[in-house]
Amino acid sequence: MFSKACEYGIRAAVYVALQSLDGRRVSVNEIAEEIDSPIAFTAKILQQLSRSKVIHSVKGPTGGFELDRTEMDTVKISTIVHAIDGDDIYVGCGLGLKECNAQKPCPLHDKFVDIRNDLKNMLENTSLYELATGLEVGLTYLKR
Amino acid sequence: MFSKACEYGIRAAVYVALQSLDGRRVSVNEIAEEIDSPIAFTAKILQQLSRSKVIHSVKGPTGGFELDRTEMDTVKISTIVHAIDGDDIYVGCGLGLKECNAQKPCPLHDKFVDIRNDLKNMLENTSLYELATGLEVGLTYLKR
DNA sequence: TCAATAAAGGATAATTTTGTCCTATTTATT
DNA sequence: AATAAATAGGACAAAATTATCCTTTATTGA
Ligand code: FES
Ligand code: FES
């Protein structure tokens, strides 16, 4: 479904959001530890998220990653997926035709588009804040 | 969503079903041509589908791949996906946790499971026959 | 100013997925 | 029996993804 990079990216962003709720800035090392991901690879992904304005980064001592409260509402999971995996999952053909086109649909088109749109809507309507609060009250987990 | 191998596999199986409706047995070369896929790679995938009883293969001159009419109804797209990509898409965690577990869910679990189940049901309720007939009447396409 | 800390970024390695090529096996036809 | 056509399968190659390591840059605080 999503690439590994994207999975780590979402988990990382949720963790950053969670800690930012407490005003804590977090380092790559802490993030990788808390979401159980490879450190250096996670660093790359955080760079990407930072460049695409999903999270904010601060260099130097006391630096790290953070997200302000209003951004947690506006940043949707769809933004993260788009930043890392591109728009294939939103517009691509389920059977791999060069493009998904209702005028010349693949055999699975009609049924696939329904699912794809549900997924798209779900991701577009889920904010980092929403996911972070579930974590905060201990209902959900970022590693096992 | 699906791997390339799986995309080719579904397209190939639909084409085999379509031709089998006319009693025609088809070769790897014809299949690859008609679904616009790399020949040798497609051959591997057809082997896999043959081993997992999704389609039937016949060696030698006049040989090729075929599917009998009753199998077109019983073989669902979910079978093909499972044979090639395994069950990750049916049971895996959307955020990449080692396993999806409602007792210790990831932040996206509840929303993700809904989509995943819709996808699963869709694939389980779509037969090769259904997809082949859409092709037959010229409503859908296997390449662009 | 200096040392320490943390992200940014470049180079490279490992792994997985995708793809190719060649030989072996099976089988229909002559 | 010989030939040719077709899948099966093994070995290998290319490309993409995942992952690591090292150097550079920015910033804090002593
Ligand atoms: S053409 Fe295949 S999903 Fe739209
Ligand atoms: S635990 Fe992540 S989808 Fe179920």
Side-chain angles (χ1 to χ4, degrees):
Chain A
M1 182 77 74
F2 305 127
S3 67
K4 277 285 159 200
C6 191
E7 291 173 353
Y8 296 149
I10 297 171
R11 305 214 311 260
V14 173
Y15 183 73
V16 170
L18 171 69
Q19 294 305 319
S20 289
L21 283 175
D22 292 345
R24 292 191 64 236
R25 213 175 255 168
V26 286
S27 70
V28 172
N29 286 274
E30 176 178 340
I31 295 169
E33 167 69 25
E34 293 300 323
I35 72 173
D36 190 26
S37 65
I39 300 180
F41 190 45
T42 303
K44 295 292 187 201
I45 297 160
L46 288 164
Q47 258 179 61
Q48 234 185 308
L49 292 181
S50 176
R51 278 194 298 260
S52 43
K53 312 289 183 193
V54 168
I55 57 179
H56 187 226
S57 83
V58 179
K59 279 183 169 185
T62 79
F65 296 90
E66 64 187 356
L67 198 64
D68 56 51
R69 180 64 188 79
T70 60
E71 287 176 307
M72 289 182 210
D73 286 319
T74 55
V75 174
K76 311 298 182 182
I77 306 306
S78 58
T79 316
I80 300 176
V81 173
H82 191 274
I84 298 176
D85 281 351
D87 61 4
D88 226 58
I89 205 147
Y90 302 129
V91 304
C93 168
L95 297 190
L97 300 198
K98 300 210 198 325
E99 56 171 353
C100 170
N101 177 348
Q103 258 55 60
K104 208 172 170 182
C106 73
L108 209 58
H109 178 86
D110 287 359
K111 295 175 170 195
F112 185 78
V113 169
D114 286 346
I115 308 276
R116 201 183 61 191
N117 285 340
D118 286 349
L119 175 63
K120 183 164 182 277
N121 290 330
M122 184 273 272
L123 297 174
E124 283 173 350
N125 289 301
T126 305
S127 68
L128 275 179
Y129 179 73
E130 180 180 349
L131 298 192
T133 49
L135 252 193
E136 195 179 31
V137 298
L139 290 175
T140 63
Y141 303 82
L142 287 174
K143 64 174 173 182
R144 176 142 312 129
Chain B
M1 183 76 73
F2 306 127
S3 68
K4 276 288 159 199
C6 190
E7 291 173 353
Y8 296 149
I10 297 171
R11 304 212 314 260
V14 173
Y15 183 73
V16 170
L18 171 69
Q19 294 304 319
S20 289
L21 284 174
D22 291 346
R24 292 191 64 236
R25 211 175 257 167
V26 287
S27 70
V28 172
N29 285 274
E30 177 178 341
I31 295 169
E33 167 68 26
E34 293 300 322
I35 72 173
D36 191 26
S37 65
I39 301 179
F41 191 43
T42 303
K44 295 292 187 200
I45 297 159
L46 288 165
Q47 256 180 63
Q48 234 184 309
L49 293 181
S50 176
R51 277 194 298 261
S52 44
K53 313 287 182 194
V54 168
I55 57 179
H56 187 225
S57 82
V58 179
K59 280 184 168 184
T62 79
F65 297 90
E66 63 187 356
L67 198 64
D68 56 51
R69 180 65 188 78
T70 60
E71 288 176 307
M72 291 182 209
D73 285 318
T74 55
V75 174
K76 311 297 182 184
I77 306 307
S78 57
T79 316
I80 302 176
V81 173
H82 190 274
I84 300 176
D85 281 352
D87 63 4
D88 225 58
I89 205 148
Y90 301 130
V91 303
C93 167
L95 296 191
L97 299 197
K98 300 210 199 322
E99 56 172 354
C100 171
N101 176 346
Q103 258 54 59
K104 208 172 170 182
C106 74
L108 209 57
H109 178 85
D110 288 358
K111 294 175 169 195
F112 185 77
V113 169
D114 286 346
I115 308 277
R116 201 183 60 190
N117 286 339
D118 286 349
L119 175 64
K120 182 163 182 279
N121 290 330
M122 184 273 273
L123 297 174
E124 282 173 350
N125 289 300
T126 304
S127 68
L128 275 179
Y129 179 74
E130 180 179 350
L131 297 192
T133 49
L135 252 194
E136 195 178 30
V137 298
L139 289 175
T140 63
Y141 302 81
L142 287 175
K143 64 176 175 181
R144 180 142 305 132

mmCIF file of all heavy atoms in Angstrom, chain B residues 51-76:
data_model
loop_
_atom_site.group_PDB
_atom_site.id
_atom_site.type_symbol
_atom_site.label_atom_id
_atom_site.label_comp_id
_atom_site.label_asym_id
_atom_site.label_seq_id
_atom_site.Cartn_x
_atom_site.Cartn_y
_atom_site.Cartn_z
ATOM 1 N N ARG B 51 1.037 -22.724 -11.291
ATOM 2 C CA ARG B 51 1.326 -23.539 -10.106
ATOM 3 C C ARG B 51 0.243 -23.370 -9.038
ATOM 4 O O ARG B 51 -0.106 -24.315 -8.344
ATOM 5 C CB ARG B 51 2.689 -23.155 -9.509
ATOM 6 C CG ARG B 51 3.869 -23.825 -10.184
ATOM 7 C CD ARG B 51 5.145 -23.676 -9.333
ATOM 8 N NE ARG B 51 5.532 -22.279 -9.152
ATOM 9 C CZ ARG B 51 6.472 -21.665 -9.858
ATOM 10 N NH1 ARG B 51 7.146 -22.311 -10.795
ATOM 11 N NH2 ARG B 51 6.778 -20.406 -9.621
ATOM 12 N N SER B 52 -0.270 -22.155 -8.923
ATOM 13 C CA SER B 52 -1.302 -21.935 -7.899
ATOM 14 C C SER B 52 -2.708 -22.148 -8.448
ATOM 15 O O SER B 52 -3.680 -21.687 -7.855
ATOM 16 C CB SER B 52 -1.134 -20.567 -7.245
ATOM 17 O OG SER B 52 -0.870 -19.567 -8.188
ATOM 18 N N LYS B 53 -2.791 -22.842 -9.571
ATOM 19 C CA LYS B 53 -4.076 -23.294 -10.119
ATOM 20 C C LYS B 53 -5.039 -22.170 -10.509
ATOM 21 O O LYS B 53 -6.251 -22.366 -10.517
ATOM 22 C CB LYS B 53 -4.799 -24.231 -9.117
ATOM 23 C CG LYS B 53 -3.925 -25.307 -8.521
ATOM 24 C CD LYS B 53 -3.620 -26.383 -9.529
ATOM 25 C CE LYS B 53 -2.777 -27.502 -8.911
ATOM 26 N NZ LYS B 53 -2.189 -28.383 -9.927
ATOM 27 N N VAL B 54 -4.500 -20.998 -10.783
ATOM 28 C CA VAL B 54 -5.365 -19.904 -11.209
ATOM 29 C C VAL B 54 -5.704 -20.083 -12.683
ATOM 30 O O VAL B 54 -6.830 -19.864 -13.111
ATOM 31 C CB VAL B 54 -4.694 -18.528 -10.969
ATOM 32 C CG1 VAL B 54 -5.449 -17.423 -11.671
ATOM 33 C CG2 VAL B 54 -4.583 -18.243 -9.483
ATOM 34 N N ILE B 55 -4.716 -20.510 -13.452
ATOM 35 C CA ILE B 55 -4.934 -20.820 -14.860
ATOM 36 C C ILE B 55 -4.321 -22.195 -15.132
ATOM 37 O O ILE B 55 -3.610 -22.735 -14.286
ATOM 38 C CB ILE B 55 -4.302 -19.773 -15.803
ATOM 39 C CG1 ILE B 55 -2.805 -19.648 -15.530
ATOM 40 C CG2 ILE B 55 -4.997 -18.427 -15.653
ATOM 41 C CD1 ILE B 55 -2.103 -18.665 -16.420
ATOM 42 N N HIS B 56 -4.594 -22.706 -16.299
ATOM 43 C CA HIS B 56 -4.082 -24.024 -16.653
ATOM 44 C C HIS B 56 -3.101 -23.863 -17.807
ATOM 45 O O HIS B 56 -3.333 -23.074 -18.711
ATOM 46 C CB HIS B 56 -5.259 -24.927 -17.074
ATOM 47 C CG HIS B 56 -4.872 -26.341 -17.301
ATOM 48 N ND1 HIS B 56 -5.288 -27.074 -18.388
ATOM 49 C CD2 HIS B 56 -4.089 -27.169 -16.572
ATOM 50 C CE1 HIS B 56 -4.782 -28.288 -18.322
ATOM 51 N NE2 HIS B 56 -4.051 -28.378 -17.235
ATOM 52 N N SER B 57 -1.982 -24.592 -17.757
ATOM 53 C CA SER B 57 -1.017 -24.476 -18.852
ATOM 54 C C SER B 57 -0.843 -25.811 -19.565
ATOM 55 O O SER B 57 -0.954 -26.876 -18.964
ATOM 56 C CB SER B 57 0.337 -23.987 -18.324
ATOM 57 O OG SER B 57 1.078 -25.059 -17.796
ATOM 58 N N VAL B 58 -0.585 -25.737 -20.852
ATOM 59 C CA VAL B 58 -0.366 -26.922 -21.680
ATOM 60 C C VAL B 58 0.923 -26.711 -22.466
ATOM 61 O O VAL B 58 1.085 -25.682 -23.128
ATOM 62 C CB VAL B 58 -1.535 -27.130 -22.665
ATOM 63 C CG1 VAL B 58 -1.298 -28.351 -23.540
ATOM 64 C CG2 VAL B 58 -2.848 -27.249 -21.910
ATOM 65 N N LYS B 59 1.830 -27.676 -22.370
ATOM 66 C CA LYS B 59 3.104 -27.560 -23.085
ATOM 67 C C LYS B 59 2.984 -28.036 -24.526
ATOM 68 O O LYS B 59 1.989 -28.662 -24.899
ATOM 69 C CB LYS B 59 4.158 -28.416 -22.382
ATOM 70 C CG LYS B 59 4.783 -27.788 -21.154
ATOM 71 C CD LYS B 59 5.870 -28.718 -20.624
ATOM 72 C CE LYS B 59 6.746 -28.064 -19.578
ATOM 73 N NZ LYS B 59 7.835 -28.979 -19.172
ATOM 74 N N GLY B 60 4.039 -27.775 -25.263
ATOM 75 C CA GLY B 60 4.129 -28.293 -26.627
ATOM 76 C C GLY B 60 3.350 -27.502 -27.652
ATOM 77 O O GLY B 60 2.630 -26.556 -27.316
ATOM 78 N N PRO B 61 3.482 -27.894 -28.924
ATOM 79 C CA PRO B 61 2.777 -27.202 -30.009
ATOM 80 C C PRO B 61 1.273 -27.235 -29.731
ATOM 81 O O PRO B 61 0.777 -28.220 -29.190
ATOM 82 C CB PRO B 61 3.108 -28.052 -31.234
ATOM 83 C CG PRO B 61 4.335 -28.801 -30.880
ATOM 84 C CD PRO B 61 4.292 -29.026 -29.406
ATOM 85 N N THR B 62 0.616 -26.175 -30.080
ATOM 86 C CA THR B 62 -0.813 -25.930 -29.791
ATOM 87 C C THR B 62 -1.046 -25.709 -28.297
ATOM 88 O O THR B 62 -2.184 -25.579 -27.876
ATOM 89 C CB THR B 62 -1.757 -27.080 -30.266
ATOM 90 O OG1 THR B 62 -1.708 -28.164 -29.329
ATOM 91 C CG2 THR B 62 -1.389 -27.577 -31.661
ATOM 92 N N GLY B 63 0.053 -25.699 -27.531
ATOM 93 C CA GLY B 63 -0.081 -25.460 -26.089
ATOM 94 C C GLY B 63 -0.313 -23.993 -25.798
ATOM 95 O O GLY B 63 -0.508 -23.177 -26.708
ATOM 96 N N GLY B 64 -0.284 -23.672 -24.508
ATOM 97 C CA GLY B 64 -0.511 -22.295 -24.101
ATOM 98 C C GLY B 64 -1.263 -22.271 -22.787
ATOM 99 O O GLY B 64 -1.293 -23.268 -22.064
ATOM 100 N N PHE B 65 -1.891 -21.141 -22.514
ATOM 101 C CA PHE B 65 -2.631 -21.008 -21.251
ATOM 102 C C PHE B 65 -4.118 -20.939 -21.529
ATOM 103 O O PHE B 65 -4.557 -20.353 -22.523
ATOM 104 C CB PHE B 65 -2.150 -19.775 -20.493
ATOM 105 C CG PHE B 65 -0.707 -19.870 -20.085
ATOM 106 C CD1 PHE B 65 0.296 -19.413 -20.932
ATOM 107 C CD2 PHE B 65 -0.347 -20.450 -18.870
ATOM 108 C CE1 PHE B 65 1.640 -19.529 -20.564
ATOM 109 C CE2 PHE B 65 0.984 -20.568 -18.501
ATOM 110 C CZ PHE B 65 1.976 -20.106 -19.355
ATOM 111 N N GLU B 66 -4.874 -21.515 -20.603
ATOM 112 C CA GLU B 66 -6.322 -21.499 -20.761
ATOM 113 C C GLU B 66 -6.982 -21.607 -19.393
ATOM 114 O O GLU B 66 -6.314 -21.776 -18.376
ATOM 115 C CB GLU B 66 -6.779 -22.675 -21.632
ATOM 116 C CG GLU B 66 -6.466 -24.014 -21.002
ATOM 117 C CD GLU B 66 -6.748 -25.191 -21.932
ATOM 118 O OE1 GLU B 66 -7.258 -24.966 -23.040
ATOM 119 O OE2 GLU B 66 -6.449 -26.328 -21.530
ATOM 120 N N LEU B 67 -8.294 -21.521 -19.422
ATOM 121 C CA LEU B 67 -9.050 -21.496 -18.179
ATOM 122 C C LEU B 67 -10.413 -22.027 -18.543
ATOM 123 O O LEU B 67 -10.998 -21.589 -19.538
ATOM 124 C CB LEU B 67 -9.181 -20.027 -17.767
ATOM 125 C CG LEU B 67 -9.541 -19.687 -16.340
ATOM 126 C CD1 LEU B 67 -8.456 -20.159 -15.400
ATOM 127 C CD2 LEU B 67 -9.722 -18.200 -16.220
ATOM 128 N N ASP B 68 -10.931 -23.011 -17.794
ATOM 129 C CA ASP B 68 -12.245 -23.426 -18.257
ATOM 130 C C ASP B 68 -13.358 -22.586 -17.647
ATOM 131 O O ASP B 68 -13.176 -21.875 -16.649
ATOM 132 C CB ASP B 68 -12.485 -24.941 -18.138
ATOM 133 C CG ASP B 68 -12.295 -25.464 -16.744
ATOM 134 O OD1 ASP B 68 -12.899 -24.888 -15.818
ATOM 135 O OD2 ASP B 68 -11.528 -26.425 -16.596
ATOM 136 N N ARG B 69 -14.468 -22.643 -18.312
ATOM 137 C CA ARG B 69 -15.577 -21.734 -18.024
ATOM 138 C C ARG B 69 -15.960 -21.686 -16.553
ATOM 139 O O ARG B 69 -16.212 -20.605 -16.013
ATOM 140 C CB ARG B 69 -16.769 -22.113 -18.906
ATOM 141 C CG ARG B 69 -18.017 -21.262 -18.723
ATOM 142 C CD ARG B 69 -17.786 -19.826 -19.140
ATOM 143 N NE ARG B 69 -18.938 -18.982 -18.771
ATOM 144 C CZ ARG B 69 -19.182 -18.539 -17.554
ATOM 145 N NH1 ARG B 69 -18.369 -18.836 -16.563
ATOM 146 N NH2 ARG B 69 -20.236 -17.790 -17.321
ATOM 147 N N THR B 70 -16.005 -22.855 -15.915
ATOM 148 C CA THR B 70 -16.415 -22.844 -14.503
ATOM 149 C C THR B 70 -15.367 -22.168 -13.618
ATOM 150 O O THR B 70 -15.705 -21.478 -12.661
ATOM 151 C CB THR B 70 -16.648 -24.275 -13.977
ATOM 152 O OG1 THR B 70 -15.428 -25.015 -14.094
ATOM 153 C CG2 THR B 70 -17.732 -24.977 -14.782
ATOM 154 N N GLU B 71 -14.077 -22.330 -13.970
ATOM 155 C CA GLU B 71 -13.027 -21.689 -13.175
ATOM 156 C C GLU B 71 -13.092 -20.163 -13.244
ATOM 157 O O GLU B 71 -12.711 -19.480 -12.304
ATOM 158 C CB GLU B 71 -11.654 -22.168 -13.647
ATOM 159 C CG GLU B 71 -11.356 -23.611 -13.256
ATOM 160 C CD GLU B 71 -10.029 -24.084 -13.811
ATOM 161 O OE1 GLU B 71 -9.803 -23.965 -15.033
ATOM 162 O OE2 GLU B 71 -9.208 -24.572 -13.024
ATOM 163 N N MET B 72 -13.561 -19.663 -14.360
ATOM 164 C CA MET B 72 -13.665 -18.197 -14.486
ATOM 165 C C MET B 72 -14.600 -17.616 -13.440
ATOM 166 O O MET B 72 -14.468 -16.463 -13.054
ATOM 167 C CB MET B 72 -14.228 -17.822 -15.853
ATOM 168 C CG MET B 72 -13.284 -18.102 -16.981
ATOM 169 S SD MET B 72 -14.025 -17.562 -18.506
ATOM 170 C CE MET B 72 -13.253 -18.718 -19.626
ATOM 171 N N ASP B 73 -15.555 -18.418 -13.021
ATOM 172 C CA ASP B 73 -16.479 -17.945 -11.993
ATOM 173 C C ASP B 73 -15.904 -18.107 -10.597
ATOM 174 O O ASP B 73 -16.062 -17.237 -9.744
ATOM 175 C CB ASP B 73 -17.799 -18.737 -12.069
ATOM 176 C CG ASP B 73 -18.647 -18.300 -13.250
ATOM 177 O OD1 ASP B 73 -18.737 -17.083 -13.497
ATOM 178 O OD2 ASP B 73 -19.208 -19.189 -13.922
ATOM 179 N N THR B 74 -15.212 -19.227 -10.386
ATOM 180 C CA THR B 74 -14.710 -19.483 -9.031
ATOM 181 C C THR B 74 -13.423 -18.728 -8.717
ATOM 182 O O THR B 74 -13.175 -18.398 -7.569
ATOM 183 C CB THR B 74 -14.486 -20.987 -8.813
ATOM 184 O OG1 THR B 74 -13.622 -21.473 -9.842
ATOM 185 C CG2 THR B 74 -15.793 -21.754 -8.882
ATOM 186 N N VAL B 75 -12.607 -18.463 -9.744
ATOM 187 C CA VAL B 75 -11.374 -17.715 -9.486
ATOM 188 C C VAL B 75 -11.696 -16.233 -9.340
ATOM 189 O O VAL B 75 -12.170 -15.586 -10.278
ATOM 190 C CB VAL B 75 -10.342 -17.913 -10.611
ATOM 191 C CG1 VAL B 75 -9.139 -17.007 -10.376
ATOM 192 C CG2 VAL B 75 -9.905 -19.364 -10.684
ATOM 193 N N LYS B 76 -11.453 -15.722 -8.141
ATOM 194 C CA LYS B 76 -11.684 -14.304 -7.880
ATOM 195 C C LYS B 76 -10.365 -13.551 -7.974
ATOM 196 O O LYS B 76 -9.290 -14.154 -7.831
ATOM 197 C CB LYS B 76 -12.275 -14.118 -6.483
ATOM 198 C CG LYS B 76 -13.449 -15.018 -6.168
ATOM 199 C CD LYS B 76 -14.620 -14.762 -7.068
ATOM 200 C CE LYS B 76 -15.804 -15.650 -6.686
ATOM 201 N NZ LYS B 76 -16.948 -15.506 -7.581
#
